[in-house]
Amino acid sequence: MKSLYIKNGKDINEQPLELLLEDGKIVDVAPQLDVTADEIINLQGHSYVSAGWIDDHVHCYEKMSLYYDDPDLVGYCNGVTTVIDAGSTGADNIGDFHHLVQSKKTNVYAMINISKTGILAQDELGDMDRLQFNTLQQAINDYPHFIIGLKARISKSVIVGNGIKPLIVAKEFQKQLSQKLPLMVHVGTNPPELSEIMDVMDAGDIMTHCFNGKDNGILNADGSIKDFVQKGLDKGIIFDVGHGTESFNFKTAEVAFKNNLYPQSLSTDIYHGNRENGPVYNLATCIEKMLYLGFELQQILPMITTVPATNYHLSHKGKLAIGMDADVTIFNIENYSKTLVDSDGNTRQSTKTVEPIYSIVGGNAYLIGE
Ligand SMILES: [Zn+2]
């Protein structure tokens, strides 16, 4: 049994915080602990200690040719202890994906694409024959601890001529499945219209790319919020950022923030392309953008810890409490100026940087950058 003592840390309210981790679990949490351990990390009062960050929209099945990455490069190397792949794979290939991630240090989960092919090509929902209930149910039965949600990409290039039909089928599948799984819906260019999509979605379903700058987004051409958007939020649809190469626009986010229309979860939609070349880079950069918009750290951290843990039923993650998994992110916030770029090339000048320094996954500590 290996133990790790995290000493002289602070929580996001600037209060002292110490942790004792043992055998993959959190065994003690307090402002100050008087313990010994096999390993001690002394943070000298400078660094924040948070529940391990969860990124609920990534693409990390390495054998894909469009959107792929190494789970560890988007995960623990960037302060993210748990990644949830958002539909890269379907029933045809999710078994191989599961096999590949067994050797990774980062916790990896998957939302299964409602198309059995996954995102082999951009148009996975262009052929309704790829939506098969029995193969979907079988895959979920085969990997019940790995598959924690469903994914449907409902935008023009994905659905081709099928309109809203794939989403209606996805909702039918979701209701018929023997396990209760949340459905993440990607929104983008129409058809279908965003209003049609939100009509079909239910409470607990997750709408990713919520702050995109496209015509079929949440804003009218005059910059006001479309009138059905608040109705969707009131119904219980969860707004997820899903930054991505094309799906985060500062103006959309600024208007939403001014109108008290907030996302519940923050995610990257990262893959090797937008990780290496931007505008995503990593989850920390997405946090910097939320800080720039005016969100407090106390509002942002739940978006990458407790909220995704609740949405995807990861009941042992998302909190620093006795008995929870020993997943911890340790990070600094520094007063450096930095230019932030959104998915449409707009820039904003930020005065704060977010720098993860340790990822601790299941009690194993990794110093970031080494
Ligand atoms: Zn995506």
Side-chain angles (χ1 to χ4, degrees):
M1 260 207 293
K2 206 188 78 167
S3 57
L4 171 62
Y5 173 25
I6 300 167
K7 197 176 168 167
N8 292 321
K10 60 181 178 179
D11 68 14
I12 52 174
N13 300 308
E14 307 287 335
Q15 299 304 307
L17 182 66
E18 299 195 336
L19 293 177
L20 181 65
L21 313 176
E22 205 171 275
D23 208 22
K25 296 285 175 189
I26 298 171
V27 296
D28 216 344
V29 193
Q32 200 171 10
L33 295 171
D34 185 17
V35 294
T36 54
D38 301 328
E39 194 185 343
I40 298 173
I41 295 177
N42 190 336
L43 300 172
Q44 320 283 1
H46 182 65
S47 301
Y48 295 98
V49 178
S50 136
W53 294 353
I54 301 170
D55 186 345
D56 76 14
H57 185 162
V58 311
H59 293 281
C60 62
Y61 175 46
E62 290 158 278
K63 287 194 194 165
M64 280 302 185
S65 56
L66 269 181
Y67 306 118
Y68 62 92
D69 212 334
D70 178 332
D72 283 339
L73 292 180
V74 299
Y76 89 90
C77 294
N78 278 305
V80 177
T81 58
T82 298
V83 295
I84 305 176
D85 183 276
S88 303
T89 56
D92 285 351
N93 38 18
I94 204 160
D96 186 56
F97 181 30
H98 176 259
H99 172 74
L100 277 182
V101 306
Q102 298 313 305
S103 61
K104 302 298 175 185
K105 297 182 170 86
T106 308
N107 301 306
V108 183
Y109 295 94
M111 281 176 254
I112 186 169
N113 199 304
I114 57 161
S115 165
K116 68 190 180 78
T117 59
I119 312 175
L120 266 188
Q122 198 60 261
D123 61 349
E124 78 263 18
L125 298 177
D127 177 356
M128 293 300 289
D129 290 343
R130 297 186 192 133
L131 284 77
Q132 298 172 2
F133 180 77
N134 291 337
T135 52
L136 183 76
Q137 177 71 71
Q138 189 59 51
I140 295 166
N141 291 347
D142 290 345
Y143 305 100
H145 303 294
F146 179 56
I147 300 175
I148 58 173
L150 306 173
K151 176 77 187 288
R153 298 201 309 148
I154 307 296
S155 58
K156 186 181 177 185
S157 56
V158 183
I159 52 106
V160 194
N162 287 323
I164 196 78
K165 257 194 307 184
L167 182 58
I168 290 173
V169 171
K171 288 299 300 177
E172 285 168 7
F173 285 1
Q174 183 191 28
K175 285 180 183 126
Q176 282 172 46
L177 285 168
S178 49
Q179 300 86 345
K180 283 286 146 263
L181 297 178
L183 170 67
M184 175 183 271
V185 180
H186 136 134
V187 298
T189 303
N190 55 330
E193 298 300 317
L194 184 61
S195 57
E196 258 183 293
I197 294 173
M198 290 180 72
D199 260 352
V200 178
M201 292 174 72
D202 292 310
D205 292 338
I206 296 123
M207 185 175 99
T208 194
H209 306 319
C210 65
F211 289 161
N212 73 61
K214 298 171 185 176
D215 290 345
N216 197 35
I218 62 171
L219 298 189
N220 290 308
D222 67 3
S224 59
I225 293 177
K226 292 177 181 170
D227 52 14
F228 58 84
V229 172
Q230 186 63 47
K231 212 175 79 190
L233 265 176
D234 293 344
K235 182 164 84 169
I237 294 174
I238 292 154
F239 279 31
D240 177 67
V241 171
H243 188 306
T245 310
E246 291 188 9
S247 302
F248 180 81
N249 178 282
F250 274 124
K251 190 183 149 212
T252 307
E254 284 159 0
V255 171
F257 186 80
K258 255 186 236 141
N259 287 275
N260 304 317
L261 195 154
Y262 305 138
Q264 287 100 318
S265 55
L266 173 64
S267 63
T268 56
D269 189 16
I270 200 167
Y271 77 109
H272 77 96
N274 62 29
R275 173 174 60 78
E276 290 161 1
N277 307 314
V280 175
Y281 299 109
N282 48 47
L283 188 59
T285 304
C286 293
I287 298 172
E288 290 164 355
K289 291 174 183 176
M290 301 301 277
L291 286 169
Y292 167 80
L293 286 169
F295 287 98
E296 302 291 339
L297 205 49
Q298 292 90 334
Q299 294 172 294
I300 300 168
L301 263 292
M303 298 180 192
I304 51 173
T305 55
T306 46
V307 173
T310 302
N311 291 344
Y312 295 93
H313 310 125
L314 298 171
S315 57
H316 294 282
K317 300 196 183 295
K319 274 187 215 138
L320 294 178
I322 293 171
M324 303 294 277
D325 290 348
D327 296 343
V328 181
T329 300
I330 296 171
F331 63 102
N332 295 335
I333 295 193
E334 307 289 358
N335 295 317
Y336 296 132
S337 127
K338 182 173 174 180
T339 303
L340 301 171
V341 187
D342 73 7
S343 298
D344 299 306
N346 304 301
T347 60
R348 297 290 188 272
Q349 210 58 39
S350 158
T351 54
K352 287 194 184 341
T353 57
V354 177
E355 299 170 3
I357 53 169
Y358 278 99
S359 290
I360 300 171
V361 188
N364 296 307
Y366 305 104
L367 183 59
I368 293 169
E370 287 211 337

